[in-house]
Amino acid sequence: MRKIKGFKLTLRPHEVKRRAKKSRIDLEAAGLTDVPLAKFLDAASKTVVPGVIFETFGHPDPDQAVLSSIPGLAYSVILATLHESFKTLVVSHPSVPQPLWNVLQEHALDEAVRFASGLIADEAEKDACELSPLTTLHDPVALEAALRKLDGEAKLGVSLMDGKLSPVASLAVSQSWLSKSKVKGRK
């Protein structure tokens, strides 16, 4: 099991703009044109303290049916959180509209998961495997299994409350390890 806390989180302005546009958030009305947005995201990335824990479980595993969407040789579970540092950031910037915080939280969690998934992909490559797309875990049974297997509460301070992860700025995902086809690439 690997635990990494406090790594550099890069919040990309173009990605925040894309997600804000998709969510119909007017960044200019919030005073976040290009330069102020870049400064705000830079300050936010220095304030937020992300953390991830992840582990790969081989086949057979009793929780594989609950945690792995695609049967494979193994599967990895990633638990990412922004801890309470994200809540602190929200409180310290009351002028930022709430819908934008949702966009920022989603983007920051996606970046934390992408970081961990990149490390898992390197391990999978060494074992001649490729990874399935990420599957976000929403079901309370799956979330409970993920927290139990990763010891999420003790290692990262993430728990399950009313069927949802707490703190709210947390995310659990899984990926299956699939054997690379030896036929792949042949014509």
Side-chain angles (χ1 to χ4, degrees):
M1 181 174 320
R2 294 192 50 195
K3 172 184 167 185
I4 305 170
K5 192 173 177 184
F7 53 89
K8 182 172 173 28
L9 188 67
T10 304
L11 300 174
R12 295 175 174 78
H14 69 278
E15 182 62 19
V16 171
K17 285 183 199 175
R18 185 188 69 76
R19 290 176 187 230
K21 184 177 179 180
K22 188 176 177 182
S23 297
R24 296 188 176 123
I25 300 168
D26 186 358
L27 292 175
E28 288 186 24
L32 295 171
T33 55
D34 289 346
V35 173
L37 178 64
K39 287 181 180 178
F40 172 68
L41 293 178
D42 184 52
S45 66
K46 291 175 181 169
T47 303
V48 173
V49 181
V52 293
I53 50 176
F54 54 95
E55 180 67 75
T56 300
F57 304 95
H59 179 76
D61 182 82
D63 294 314
Q64 188 168 7
V66 173
L67 294 172
S68 176
S69 63
I70 300 172
L73 302 173
Y75 69 98
S76 296
V77 178
I78 303 169
L79 180 62
T81 187
L82 305 177
H83 298 97
E84 293 300 318
S85 64
F86 190 77
K87 193 175 186 179
T88 302
L89 183 66
V90 172
V91 170
S92 66
H93 292 83
S95 63
V96 175
Q98 181 57 45
L100 183 57
W101 288 118
N102 297 337
V103 166
L104 290 174
Q105 175 180 304
E106 181 182 288
H107 176 45
L109 285 170
D110 286 349
E111 286 298 306
V113 166
R114 189 178 65 76
F115 168 73
S117 181
L119 297 173
I120 293 169
D122 292 343
E123 293 173 18
E125 184 69 31
K126 291 176 188 172
D127 287 345
C129 290
E130 54 189 25
L131 297 174
S132 70
L134 291 166
T135 301
T136 303
L137 304 175
H138 297 288
D139 180 60
V141 174
L143 292 172
E144 187 278 323
L147 286 171
R148 178 177 34 81
K149 289 184 93 59
L150 297 174
D151 198 13
E153 189 162 7
K155 296 203 184 311
L156 211 54
V158 178
S159 61
L160 196 62
M161 294 185 130
D162 300 324
K164 296 182 181 184
L165 295 176
S166 177
V168 175
S170 301
L171 180 67
V173 299
S174 71
Q175 285 184 294
S176 295
W177 290 46
L178 309 171
S179 177
K180 284 188 178 178
S181 174
K182 293 182 180 183
V183 179
K184 197 178 208 178
R186 290 186 189 169
K187 295 183 179 181

